[in-house]
Amino acid sequence: QENSSNYGYQDSGVKASFLYPFILNSLAFITNKLGLSTIFWNSLVIFSASLCAIVSLFLIDKSANLIFEKRTANIASWIFVLCPYTIFYCISGGITIYITLSVSFFIYLISKSNIFSSTKFGNKIPLTMVFLLINILFISSLRPTGSVFSIATIFCLGISIYTKSLRNHIKISNKG
């Protein structure tokens, strides 16, 4: 018999993150309080996963548009829509579609920000960092591997921002 507090990780020494079970338990609490059946709970789980997929599709399209061009964005969108795993994770309500949402939001934030290139339409770095922090907390709370992604993200962005700041500092000191 599986220990429900480990959420399928059993005795591997790895503890599950809290957010995905919290989402499922919240949906169960709502359906129980309203006196609705488990069929309605299943529908809510599928609906929330499908909503994540739709938002992910939007973010993938916008990111590909910003990084490449419209044709590439259309191809990326069609690949996401036609991928059998996208459909499977929506129908099953699996955690992976929430991870996809977080990663596609991360790519959108980076492509829209002024971290790597300065444009007048790009988001300022402090605003981007606030949204990235929220996204990193979200993905770290979903599954343990999300923490690895978050640490790598923070490390790479820290190096990028530091080198950009250092270049600006050197440029200013050379002028003076």
Side-chain angles (χ1 to χ4, degrees), residues 17-28:
S17 297
F18 72 93
L19 188 57
Y20 185 67
F22 177 76
I23 292 169
L24 295 179
N25 290 334
S26 298
L27 293 175

Side-chain angles (χ1 to χ4, degrees), residues 17-172:
S17 297
F18 72 93
L19 188 57
Y20 185 67
F22 177 76
I23 292 169
L24 295 179
N25 290 334
S26 298
L27 293 175
F29 178 78
I30 291 169
T31 55
N32 286 339
K33 284 295 179 188
L34 295 175
L36 300 169
S37 67
T38 56
I39 294 173
F40 189 76
W41 177 82
N42 286 337
S43 299
L44 279 178
V45 170
I46 292 170
F47 175 75
S48 65
S50 299
L51 189 62
C52 286
I54 291 169
V55 173
S56 294
L57 175 63
F58 174 77
L59 293 170
I60 289 168
D61 183 63
K62 292 298 178 189
S63 300
N65 244 340
L66 289 168
I67 297 170
F68 303 106
E69 80 270 344
K70 187 65 179 162
R71 183 168 186 258
T72 305
N74 286 337
I75 292 169
S77 297
W78 277 108
I79 288 172
F80 181 74
V81 168
L82 296 176
C83 177
Y85 286 112
T86 303
I87 298 165
F88 171 74
Y89 290 124
C90 287
I91 292 173
S92 68
I95 191 172
T96 304
I97 204 72
Y98 293 92
I99 298 290
T100 305
L101 173 66
S102 182
V103 172
S104 61
F105 185 59
F106 168 77
I107 298 298
Y108 175 74
L109 284 174
I110 295 298
S111 65
K112 185 76 173 156
S113 76
N114 282 331
I115 292 176
F116 295 110
S117 65
S118 297
T119 63
K120 67 179 186 176
F121 300 112
N123 293 335
K124 301 296 180 209
I125 292 176
L127 178 66
T128 301
M129 288 300 156
V130 168
F131 284 125
L132 281 175
L133 175 65
I134 293 168
N135 193 37
I136 283 171
L137 291 173
F138 175 76
I139 197 168
S140 295
S141 301
L142 279 174
R143 78 166 36 143
T145 54
S147 300
V148 175
F149 177 82
S150 299
I151 291 168
T153 300
I154 291 169
F155 183 73
C156 291
L157 286 176
I159 289 174
S160 174
I161 291 170
Y162 177 74
T163 55
K164 185 175 183 177
S165 172
L166 192 60
R167 272 189 248 125
N168 287 340
H169 183 66
I170 291 171
K171 192 186 304 183
I172 290 171

